[in-house]
Amino acid sequence: GAVHGLHAQLLLQGVVPPLQPLAQVLIFTTILSNVLAARLAGVDNKYAYAVYLISGILCWSLFAEIIQRCTTIFIDNASLLKKVQFPRIALPLIAVGSAAITNLALLGMILLILPFLGIMPGLSFLWLIPLMLLTIALATGIGLFLGTLNVFVRDVGQVVAVVLQFWFWVTPIVYPISVVPEAFRATLAINPVVPIVISYHNVILFGASPDPRILWSLVVAVMFLASALLLFRRGSAEMVDVL
């Protein structure tokens, strides 16, 4: 009843045609392709930079969308939480599901585009399944943690948007990691999204396996999921009163 209606409502609100990420790819390709395409070593393809961007944006759009939705999910549905009895954890799970559907639609469009860019999907593309699951796990852990915290500290939601913009630029999505000075590469190594994005590049552009440093991303994802569930369990009882 109520939960099914909620599910349908959130899906209708959340699933947006994945045109914005592709528009980002077009803008960055137009502006930066001549500057950075030559820095992509080991690829003899005039569309290599466009494929590089597509790969990174595919990962980042899923990651950022889940965090943005989960951060405000409880506040956006405050009236519903006060009126209807249902498991509150369903809200972020439905938000994650709708973000995943949007990302799968984007992936479908990318798979149609890639042959025109000189890339034929092969067996290496099967790595995208665990990579997407890892991206979802990391983003869900961070998003649920921030979403619960945002109920009690309302400034969190405003800070997240700024942090995500900064986070985008300290992740090698638009630029190859080879252009980053050695002094800053150690800082990038802390970023758990970096190995995932590099793995997307490896799989889609180079037809290779994921980056071994992906284990760091997995460790961080597990830590955030555990912390988020613990915080959610402690704050869930008081959530409706604060809202």
Side-chain angles (χ1 to χ4, degrees):
V3 176
H4 289 298
L6 169 65
H7 187 204
Q9 179 185 353
L10 284 175
L11 284 177
L12 286 172
Q13 292 174 353
V15 179
V16 179
L19 298 178
Q20 185 178 355
L22 292 178
Q24 278 186 300
V25 169
L26 182 61
I27 292 168
F28 285 130
T29 302
T30 304
I31 296 172
L32 298 174
S33 60
N34 292 329
V35 178
L36 293 173
R39 303 295 186 100
L40 295 175
V43 186
D44 185 20
N45 182 333
K46 64 180 179 178
Y47 301 114
Y49 183 68
V51 178
Y52 183 89
L53 273 174
I54 285 171
S55 308
I57 293 291
L58 177 64
C59 174
W60 180 260
S61 61
L62 177 61
F63 176 76
E65 189 174 355
I66 289 174
I67 291 179
Q68 287 170 335
R69 291 186 183 185
C70 287
T71 300
T72 60
I73 194 71
F74 298 118
I75 293 175
D76 290 345
N77 293 278
S79 58
L80 192 63
L81 284 167
K82 293 175 182 177
K83 293 176 184 176
V84 183
Q85 288 291 331
F86 64 93
R88 288 165 195 155
I89 195 67
L91 284 171
L93 290 180
I94 292 169
V96 169
S98 57
I101 291 171
T102 302
N103 197 253
L104 285 172
L106 175 61
L107 175 60
M109 294 177 68
I110 287 172
L111 291 175
L112 292 174
I113 293 170
L114 285 177
F116 296 98
L117 301 179
I119 302 290
M120 293 302 297
L123 288 177
S124 65
F125 276 58
L126 292 175
W127 280 111
L128 290 175
I129 298 171
L131 287 177
M132 289 180 73
L133 291 174
L134 178 55
T135 306
I136 290 170
L138 179 61
T140 303
I142 297 171
L144 179 59
F145 186 90
L146 294 173
T148 306
L149 197 61
N150 195 31
V151 173
F152 303 96
V153 186
R154 295 300 174 93
D155 292 336
V156 169
Q158 298 175 3
V159 173
V160 167
V162 177
V163 170
L164 282 174
Q165 286 186 343
F166 177 76
W167 201 338
F168 175 87
W169 289 105
V170 295
T171 305
I173 298 167
V174 174
Y175 55 87
I177 200 166
S178 59
V179 306
V180 179
E182 285 290 339
F184 294 101
R185 289 192 191 182
T187 306
L188 285 185
I190 302 171
N191 182 350
V193 186
V194 169
I196 306 178
V197 167
I198 291 175
S199 297
Y200 269 78
H201 291 150
N202 285 357
V203 169
I204 296 176
L205 179 58
F206 299 103
S209 57
D211 190 291
R213 291 167 292 184
I214 201 102
L215 290 174
W216 165 243
S217 306
L218 179 59
V219 169
V220 175
V222 171
M223 288 171 57
F224 264 108
L225 278 170
S227 301
L229 288 171
L230 182 62
L231 181 65
F232 177 79
R233 277 188 70 181
R234 293 195 174 211
S236 180
E238 302 172 18
M239 196 174 282
V240 173
D241 295 331
V242 176
L243 289 169

